[in-house]
């Protein structure tokens, strides 16, 4: 299926009760027709709470990582689990992405439904039904490319059993664990070699590289992350010297979440010459929206400001529905609407219900979330009353996107120009 046609068809979905915050009087229009009407987020009939995505910030972030990857000679397969949005995938590909990374087979199914042809599945897959589906995609589309993790001999056995009869081998990379107590991945180089031997003994799998996730390095800092990345590169060089990549056209070395891609760029720049070209594959995904919490603190651009800066793109607007005391107020957005797994939302702006003026949210702190309420702590300087809208910055993009099926894209003046569809 052509990606552009499938994505374009999203604009034909009807506006109805399935989507939070859309104007009730827009029911009967299509999403594309509503976008074309260019309504204002605040005066165009949208109901609260409503999550908005800044058009300017998204474009800035897409361009910045494209430039960064090109400058450091990295291929880029942004992690699609962040947004699960085919429209954003399409824009990431337009901005030079090699492909899209997935974490589980369901995500890959969404990618394939919207025409993504290169998928890096950064996880072990031992589910026979999922593997047979992958085999079917490889059989029916010669341009489809899957690369997935392996980290155990038993995993290789299960994959081999499920893939018998596949028309071409499934490409795999050995996952090197990030240390004791870390997540998945073979823990030692000897373990990696045993897995590679098991792969070589099959006709259904082909070893094409090594990979891992440096964000799982225990007590990660710049030195320990770089040490682990050097182990990953050395493993690739050792495998290459032993002829373990015979039969492939390039060696894949992949790492790079959203917190340490500067270290990845540094270490992968010094890969020794190998017998084949090297695909240096970065996988950072949170950049597309960035945030006002977790990744604002962790982004590598804090360490390398000369490379640029990402911009937070999300703002959740909720309405003050109760002001029971001078020290307390409640808005109508809670855990069903806002990410809360890492940090609480941050009150940033107040839109005056009487005048429409937008001012800083001075003296207002989000102190907690119920299912459908946000708890605000207010000081004497807080100027807020029932009916006002409070705009909040969010932390952790991955658990912000997943609460909204259709997200308005808003220009700086409040004009809604598009809607981002998500599939979680």
């Amino acid at each position: 299926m052509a990606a552009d046609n499938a994505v374009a068809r999203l604009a034909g979905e009807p506006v109805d009760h399935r989507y939070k915050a859309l104007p009730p009087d827009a029911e009967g229009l299509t999403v594309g027709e509503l976008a074309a009407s260019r309504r204002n987020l605040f005066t165009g009939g949208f109901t609260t709470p409503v999550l908005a995505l800044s058009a300017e910030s998204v474009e800035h972030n897409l361009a910045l990582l494209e430039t960064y990857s090109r400058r450091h000679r990295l291929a880029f397969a942004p992690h699609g689990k962040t947004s699960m949005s085919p429209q954003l995938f399409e824009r990431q590909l337009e901005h030079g992405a090699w492909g899209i990374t997935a974490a589980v087979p369901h995500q890959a199914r969404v990618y394939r439904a919207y025409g993504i042809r290169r998928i890096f599945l950064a996880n072990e897959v031992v589910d026979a039904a999922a593997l047979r589906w992958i085999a079917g995609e490889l059989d029916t589309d010669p341009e489809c490319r899957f690369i997935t993790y392996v980290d155990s001999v038993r995993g290789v056995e299960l994959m081999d059993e499920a893939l018998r009869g596949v028309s071409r081998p499934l490409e795999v990379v050995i996952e090197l664990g990030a240390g004791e107590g870390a997540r998945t991945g073979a823990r030692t180089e000897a373990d990696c070699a045993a897995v590679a031997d098991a792969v070589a003994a099959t006709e259904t799998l082909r070893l094409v590289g090594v990979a891992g996730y440096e964000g799982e390095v225990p007590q990660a800092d710049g030195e320990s992350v770089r040490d682990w990345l050097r182990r990953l590169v050395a493993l690739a060089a050792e495998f290459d010297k032993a002829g373990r990549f015979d039969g492939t056209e390039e060696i894949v070395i992949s790492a790079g979440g959203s917190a340490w891609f500067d270290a990845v760029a540094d270490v992968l720049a010094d890969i020794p010459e190998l017998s084949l070209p090297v695909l240096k594959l970065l996988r950072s995904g949170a950049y597309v929206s960035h945030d006002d919490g977790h990744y604002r603190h962790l982004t590598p651009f804090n360490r390398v400001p000369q490379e640029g800066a990402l911009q937070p793109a999300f703002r959740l607007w909720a309405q003050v529905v109760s002001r029971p005391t001078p020290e307390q107020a409640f808005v109508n957005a809670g855990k069903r609407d806002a990410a809360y797994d890492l940090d609480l939302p941050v009150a940033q702006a107040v839109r005056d219900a009487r005048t429409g003026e937008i001012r800083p949210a001075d003296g207002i702190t989000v102190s907690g979330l119920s299912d459908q309420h946000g708890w605000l702590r207010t000081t004497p300087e807080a100027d807020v009353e029932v009916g006002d809208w409070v705009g909040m910055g969010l932390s952790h993009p991955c658990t912000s996107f997943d609460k909204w099926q259709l997200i308005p894209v808003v220009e700086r003046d409040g004009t809604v120009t598009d809607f981002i569809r998500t599939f979680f």
Side-chain angles (χ1 to χ4, degrees), residues 71-331:
R71 181 184 300 129
H72 293 278
R73 298 182 180 180
L74 298 169
F76 189 29
H79 213 315
K81 72 178 175 66
T82 297
S83 71
M84 286 306 295
S85 170
Q87 293 151 291
L88 291 178
F89 300 160
E90 183 176 64
R91 294 186 65 185
Q92 288 169 318
L93 293 168
E94 290 169 352
H95 279 271
W98 170 91
I100 305 293
T101 294
V104 293
H106 162 72
Q107 294 167 358
R109 288 188 65 195
V110 174
Y111 300 0
R112 290 295 295 155
Y114 288 90
I116 305 300
R117 288 196 157 141
R118 289 175 176 168
I119 297 173
F120 188 89
L121 214 164
N123 204 348
E124 282 68 28
V125 181
V126 295
D127 181 324
L131 288 162
R132 286 193 294 268
W133 171 77
I134 291 172
E137 297 298 296
L138 294 172
D139 285 343
T140 57
D141 184 356
E143 295 185 35
C144 175
R145 186 176 184 189
F146 269 92
I147 302 174
T148 190
Y149 281 4
V150 289
D151 75 349
S152 68
V153 172
R154 176 57 177 157
V156 170
E157 292 172 353
L158 291 169
M159 296 176 79
D160 184 46
E161 290 172 9
L163 292 170
R164 297 284 169 82
V166 68
S167 62
R168 54 190 168 113
L170 174 61
E171 295 179 294
V172 297
V173 290
I174 305 290
E175 183 189 7
L176 174 66
E180 289 304 317
R183 205 163 58 188
T184 53
R187 291 303 194 249
T188 69
E189 282 73 4
D191 292 338
C192 291
V195 178
D197 287 341
V199 171
T202 75
E203 295 182 356
T204 59
L205 304 175
R206 175 181 294 143
L207 183 64
V208 297
V210 297
Y213 176 47
E214 74 291 339
E216 282 289 310
V217 171
Q219 288 88 48
D221 59 23
E223 182 178 356
S224 62
V225 167
R226 284 173 172 81
D227 285 345
W228 177 83
L229 288 164
R230 293 186 189 101
R231 282 183 63 200
L232 188 69
V233 170
L235 181 65
E238 179 185 330
F239 279 8
D240 182 46
K241 184 178 180 181
R244 294 188 182 275
F245 299 127
D246 290 352
T248 189
E249 296 179 356
E250 62 185 0
I251 298 169
V252 179
I253 303 178
S254 180
S258 294
W260 292 104
F261 55 74
D262 58 331
V264 174
D266 289 347
V267 174
L268 296 195
D270 294 328
I271 291 176
E273 185 174 351
L274 302 180
S275 66
L276 295 166
V278 177
L279 182 71
K280 306 173 186 179
L281 198 59
L282 184 69
R283 306 192 305 270
S284 312
Y287 81 101
V288 69
S289 66
H290 198 43
D291 73 4
D292 282 295
H294 185 69
Y295 286 105
R296 179 168 61 87
H297 297 301
L298 290 182
T299 177
F301 288 117
N302 292 337
R303 297 186 290 271
V304 287
Q306 69 276 13
E307 299 263 22
L310 293 168
Q311 297 177 1
F314 273 136
R315 181 168 282 180
L316 176 65
W317 288 96
Q319 199 164 22
V320 178
V321 294
S322 180
R323 186 83 159 99
T325 74
E327 295 80 30
Q328 199 173 38
F330 291 87
V331 292

Side-chain angles (χ1 to χ4, degrees), residues 368-379:
L369 295 175
S370 301
D371 281 356
Q372 309 288 179
H373 290 91
W375 296 56
L376 306 185
R377 185 170 62 246
T378 57
T379 65

